[in-house]
Amino acid sequence: MRARIIVESCFGNTQAIAQALAEGLRAAGASAEVVAAADAGALAEDTELVVLAAPTHNLALPSPASRAQAVQRGGQAPAAGVREWIATAQPLPNARLVTVDTVVPGMFSGSAAKDASRKAKARGWRAERGPSFLMAGDHLRDGEVERARQLGAAWAAGR
Ligand SMILES: Cc1cc2nc3c(=O)[nH]c(=O)nc-3n(C[C@H](O)[C@H](O)[C@H](O)COP(=O)(O)O)c2cc1C
């Protein structure tokens, strides 16, 4: 299976989840590449699994304004992210697209993955919302990287 993980991350946590998803996919025999959304461009036609991974910003996918807020808090801001990739990439009719995110859990967390799956469906992708990976303050909760590895392996097995 050929998988492509398209990631956006301001503080490195969503990047760590993306790498772990790729490790799990590879450990289960898939070919998996992680690429920054700003550099992702068009996908090879034989891509079977597309994963979109983004941090939740203001309840949804990051935007130029929220990325600027992240920079004010000491983060890095890519020139473009998952929001812009969805808006411009040509959908692949046969690919499975799954969205994941990172959130600071709470009553009003929102979800970049939910936003991304809606936007991707509206563009014509066969999109499904995957899990949110949980932060504890400014770092990932214990066990979340391992959960991502296991999810990657499950995808490679067709689950
Ligand atoms: C501008 C901004 C807005 C945020 N809004 C939310 C939010 O609405 N819900 C939430 O759960 N976390 C929110 N967060 C926390 C991010 O989810 C957290 O920084 C992110 O998951 C870390 O991922 P990263 O290290 O890949 O950037 C926000 C962070 C920033 C910088």
Side-chain angles (χ1 to χ4, degrees), residues 59-62 83 86 111-120 129:
L59 309 180
L61 277 172
R83 176 187 293 271
I86 294 170
S111 167
K114 182 176 180 187
D115 188 24
S117 65
R118 279 195 187 149
K119 285 182 164 67
R129 176 184 172 180

Side-chain angles (χ1 to χ4, degrees), residues 86-136:
I86 294 170
T88 54
Q90 188 63 36
L92 296 178
N94 298 320
R96 175 187 186 192
L97 183 148
V98 186
T99 63
V100 302
D101 63 25
T102 48
V103 302
V104 177
M107 243 163 56
F108 303 108
S109 298
S111 167
K114 182 176 180 187
D115 188 24
S117 65
R118 279 195 187 149
K119 285 182 164 67
K121 270 184 200 154
R123 286 274 300 159
W125 288 95
R126 189 160 61 84
E128 61 195 88
R129 176 184 172 180
S132 290
F133 291 89
L134 307 183
M135 303 281 296

Side-chain angles (χ1 to χ4, degrees), residues 21-156:
L21 291 167
E23 282 167 23
L25 277 154
R26 288 187 206 117
S31 131
E33 205 184 322
V34 179
V35 58
D39 306 326
L43 297 176
E45 298 254 327
D46 62 349
T47 307
E48 289 162 87
L49 175 68
V50 182
V51 182
L52 302 183
T56 300
H57 279 184
N58 302 334
L59 309 180
L61 277 172
S63 65
S66 77
R67 290 182 203 121
Q69 288 177 293
V71 169
Q72 281 169 9
R73 298 184 200 175
Q76 310 266 333
V82 168
R83 176 187 293 271
E84 290 79 7
W85 186 85
I86 294 170
T88 54
Q90 188 63 36
L92 296 178
N94 298 320
R96 175 187 186 192
L97 183 148
V98 186
T99 63
V100 302
D101 63 25
T102 48
V103 302
V104 177
M107 243 163 56
F108 303 108
S109 298
S111 167
K114 182 176 180 187
D115 188 24
S117 65
R118 279 195 187 149
K119 285 182 164 67
K121 270 184 200 154
R123 286 274 300 159
W125 288 95
R126 189 160 61 84
E128 61 195 88
R129 176 184 172 180
S132 290
F133 291 89
L134 307 183
M135 303 281 296
D138 62 359
H139 57 274
L140 286 164
R141 268 195 196 171
D142 285 354
E144 291 300 81
V145 167
E146 183 53 30
R147 186 159 75 99
R149 276 197 203 102
Q150 286 171 12
L151 180 61
W155 284 335

